[in-house]
Amino acid sequence: MAHTLMENRNGLAVLGGVSQATGTAERDQALELIDRHRGDRTRRITLGADKAYDVTDFVGELRSRSVTPHIAIDGHLSKTGKPRKTAIDRRTLRHAGYAVSQRCRKRIEEVFGWIKASAGLAKVKFRGRARVDAAFKLALAAYNLIRLPRLLEATA
């Protein structure tokens, strides 16, 4: 199963889901979450993601949806010793917002770590996508409840 998560500016996990694991499941799920989240709004947004999302087709889909991709660059070398090609252009890397997005992305990875360690989803004991999805969303809700006091403290 592939897990995808979207976080709002306050640090709460607002959307998440589970999909059947394929080679492109996480990227497809991310596009679906963006479409569901945006609705009819046309304001440009950014998407921070890890290097698995550094694919030309995915970046093109984001740009067609008015989403600026703040994706980590896969800086590994290929088998021939050449640096891997990246779909992220240099103008995106120049902006200070790119560095901020990469720092915020760390918080998302912490959510997945908490879900695996504390919520007990490192090895899912359920069968079927609907049950795994329900367990994942319940774990996201629990994580939000745990973070809520700290977030309220910060705004006070």
Side-chain angles (χ1 to χ4, degrees):
M1 299 282 172
H3 300 82
T4 310
L5 173 67
M6 183 179 283
E7 185 179 87
N8 69 3
R9 290 179 188 210
N10 298 325
L12 291 176
V14 291
L15 294 174
V18 175
S19 59
Q20 190 65 36
T22 64
T24 61
E26 289 177 335
R27 294 189 298 260
D28 296 339
Q29 183 81 11
L31 292 173
E32 188 178 312
L33 286 175
I34 288 169
D35 292 340
R36 220 179 334 153
H37 177 69
R38 296 217 40 201
D40 294 333
R41 289 179 272 174
T42 57
R43 196 179 104 227
R44 192 159 194 85
I45 62 172
T46 59
L47 175 93
D50 63 13
K51 60 187 175 185
Y53 292 80
D54 189 8
V55 178
T56 305
D57 293 339
F58 181 69
V59 171
E61 287 290 327
L62 289 177
R63 291 191 190 282
S64 71
R65 287 171 167 80
S66 296
V67 176
T68 303
H70 286 183
I71 298 173
I73 294 176
D74 187 0
H76 290 95
L77 299 177
S78 66
K79 291 179 183 177
T80 61
K82 295 181 191 173
R84 291 190 184 267
K85 181 183 158 217
T86 181
I88 305 300
D89 54 5
R90 298 294 172 204
R91 68 178 177 200
T92 303
L93 300 175
R94 285 193 306 243
H95 295 291
Y98 179 80
V100 172
S101 290
Q102 292 304 301
R103 283 194 305 273
C104 291
R105 186 175 64 87
K106 182 180 179 287
R107 285 198 318 248
I108 297 291
E109 298 301 327
E110 289 171 357
V111 175
F112 284 117
W114 184 88
I115 287 173
K116 287 179 179 179
S118 300
L121 290 181
K123 189 169 186 179
V124 182
K125 295 164 185 64
F126 301 109
R127 296 293 173 251
R129 184 174 160 209
R131 289 181 178 173
V132 174
D133 191 46
F136 182 68
K137 287 181 179 173
L138 184 64
L140 287 177
Y143 182 78
N144 283 341
L145 289 173
I146 287 171
R147 274 192 50 90
L148 202 56
R150 279 191 234 140
L151 293 173
L152 292 174
E153 237 176 50
T155 58

